[in-house]
Amino acid sequence: MAPTGWRGALVAMLASSPSLWPRPTAAMSRRSRLDPYSHVDATIEQTSNDASTLSTDLVTQQSKKFLLASFPTLRQVAYAHLPDNVWRPLVLGEVSEPTGIAVDMQTAKLFVSDPPNQVIWWYQLNVNRHGLLETVGSRKAAVEGVNALWLTVNGVGDLYFTGRLTSASSQHDSVFRQDAASIAAGRSRTPTEVYTRSNTGNPNPKVWEPSGIAVDALFVYWGNKEGGTKHGAVVKGSRMNVGLLSQDRQLKALSTTVDEVRGMVATGTHVFYLSNDGVHGVLKTAAQTAEDANLGLIAKQPATTSSGWNPTGITWDGDNTLYFTDLSSGIVYTVPALNILEHNVTKYADAPGARCLAVVGFSGGSSAMHSSASRRPAPGASLLRLLVAPALFFILAAAAGTSDI
């Protein structure tokens, strides 16, 4: 018997408003012939599927962060839209071996070192109306005549890197800075040599064979790829262009726990760095130099890895997660960036040949991101159906004369 009164009116309204109700599938139709109330269970199942799809869609849509990775052997830099783990290539132009990468978070400039061509390029990043990351305009040289592998950028756009100038008589690497003003003006051949073997101590200079590098508002941090236990696995030095007097400048080793340091990244409170042992961490404000290799080792080689262990690049997402590459297994892993206690690593994505990593984020005011969101009406319709449908289940059940859902 068909429902009458308000129940009948409600059923008629729903029948005329299919956008609020999942469309019946063939399976639902077959089940309804056997069980007159199966449409309720089938609708619950359909709405659950919609909710799962909607949840994934909204997380990706709302995310404005992208993970970038360099693939030197592929001559490519690619990105993944966090939390998605699908790699998409960026247009770089002609490059031989893109290796070190860094991003200026204020201006969305991507810096890419190309050692065979002795140059560090910069590209303007943008999010297009489809929500995809892209390079726009022509690339420009940030630094020329340099062999650099490790890069970082501070909050005002100064580029720091470790390496050597091809015109220099010294065969030793140093810590360099290219000021934001010089980058903007196109003065690509005059980087400042900040820390060298000759100005970081004697007889054990803190710059020996500098590798990974990080920077914050007041300090530069770097590792040594050789002699870390003697010269410093992690070294902290004052920035030289912030108006400090010579007597106020600092230069100290935060850690001497390992001989070889690869990639490095700084968070608000810690410096995290890679060695062949795994991922290490040390407090920026540590009063004593860390010497015990077991203290601060936050992640070791995963037990599931059988192809060796060769961590190279590491980056921070600005929140609670570190991403790092293992060149041997071709995998990008994640580990918490909360403290220097030991944590389990989690596989994020397959990335054969990935060397260095960086993260770029876009603010909510980005017109590109708003354009991307405004062109996708489907999630809104799904959300309306998701919110309305559960309450209607019980009303329809009452209309049909049962409450067994």
Side-chain angles (χ1 to χ4, degrees):
M1 180 177 179
T4 59
W6 67 269
R7 294 184 176 90
L10 180 59
V11 172
M13 180 193 72
L14 293 174
S16 63
S17 304
S19 62
L20 298 179
W21 197 253
R23 295 181 179 179
T25 63
M28 292 168 62
S29 298
R30 288 192 298 269
R31 288 166 60 185
S32 64
R33 289 195 295 267
L34 300 176
D35 180 359
Y37 305 119
S38 63
H39 67 283
V40 175
D41 294 329
T43 302
I44 294 175
E45 178 182 350
Q46 180 71 19
T47 303
S48 177
N49 293 336
D50 286 347
S52 177
T53 302
L54 175 62
S55 175
T56 303
D57 190 26
L58 288 179
V59 168
T60 302
Q61 178 182 331
Q62 292 171 357
S63 171
K64 299 175 179 63
K65 290 182 180 178
F66 300 84
L67 177 68
L68 298 98
S70 65
F71 296 82
T73 58
L74 299 178
R75 301 183 179 184
Q76 187 61 62
V77 172
Y79 74 92
H81 187 179
L82 297 174
D84 194 5
N85 61 359
V86 176
W87 296 107
R88 297 178 175 88
L90 289 172
V91 176
L92 300 181
E94 186 63 30
V95 290
S96 295
E97 198 172 293
T99 304
I101 58 175
V103 173
D104 180 352
M105 295 293 286
Q106 302 302 316
T107 62
K109 285 187 177 73
L110 167 65
F111 295 89
V112 180
S113 72
D114 190 4
N117 291 321
Q118 302 172 355
V119 64
I120 301 174
W121 298 106
W122 74 264
Y123 304 80
Q124 186 63 56
L125 295 176
N126 180 57
V127 179
N128 66 25
R129 63 191 183 91
H130 302 293
L132 301 177
L133 193 65
E134 62 182 3
T135 57
V136 295
S138 58
R139 68 181 182 181
K140 297 177 177 63
V143 187
E144 294 181 88
V146 66
N147 191 331
L149 295 178
W150 305 98
L151 318 176
T152 190
V153 185
N154 67 11
V156 296
D158 298 335
L159 173 68
Y160 287 80
F161 59 93
T162 57
R164 72 185 71 169
L165 300 179
T166 56
S167 60
S169 57
S170 173
Q171 296 301 306
H172 304 302
D173 290 356
S174 300
V175 175
F176 290 87
R177 182 190 73 244
Q178 179 73 316
D179 293 337
S182 296
I183 296 172
R187 296 191 294 268
S188 59
R189 295 188 177 273
T190 56
T192 301
E193 195 173 24
V194 182
Y195 287 107
T196 70
R197 281 196 181 189
S198 62
N199 68 1
T200 55
N202 189 23
N204 296 319
K206 299 295 190 293
V207 169
W208 186 247
E209 289 290 341
S211 53
I213 186 168
V215 64
D216 59 23
L218 295 176
F219 297 98
V220 187
Y221 308 86
W222 67 89
N224 282 296
K225 59 187 176 185
E226 292 180 10
T229 55
K230 182 177 181 180
H231 302 277
V234 178
V235 181
K236 171 184 177 179
S238 296
R239 284 180 53 199
M240 297 296 196
N241 61 343
V242 291
L244 290 177
L245 299 176
S246 58
Q247 62 266 27
D248 296 325
R249 294 173 181 169
Q250 298 183 33
L251 180 64
K252 63 175 294 187
L254 293 179
S255 171
T256 57
T257 56
V258 295
D259 258 338
E260 180 189 2
V261 171
R262 288 90 176 269
M264 177 180 293
V265 68
T267 68
T269 54
H270 295 79
V271 175
F272 294 97
Y273 58 102
L274 299 174
S275 78
N276 196 51
D277 295 329
V279 185
H280 306 256
V282 63
L283 276 170
K284 288 181 175 181
T285 56
Q288 301 295 326
T289 300
E291 299 178 348
D292 187 344
N294 292 318
L295 296 178
L297 181 58
I298 70 168
K300 301 177 182 177
Q301 177 179 353
T304 56
T305 303
S306 59
S307 56
W309 178 242
N310 186 19
T312 52
I314 186 169
T315 192
W316 176 48
D317 71 348
D319 291 320
N320 301 315
T321 303
L322 299 169
Y323 295 83
F324 69 95
T325 61
D326 175 21
L327 201 57
S328 292
S329 64
I331 293 174
V332 173
Y333 292 99
T334 66
V335 67
L338 303 175
N339 48 49
I340 56 174
L341 302 177
E342 186 172 350
H343 300 278
N344 293 324
V345 300
T346 302
K347 179 180 176 179
Y348 166 72
D350 290 310
R355 177 67 181 267
C356 294
L357 299 173
V359 167
V360 61
F362 290 83
S363 66
S366 169
S367 59
M369 296 302 291
H370 282 305
S371 174
S372 171
S374 65
R375 295 175 62 88
R376 302 184 65 180
S382 297
L383 179 60
L384 179 61
R385 183 169 66 241
L386 179 63
L387 295 175
V388 173
L392 296 182
F393 292 153
F394 293 95
I395 297 174
L396 278 182
T402 180
S403 58
D404 184 16
I405 299 179

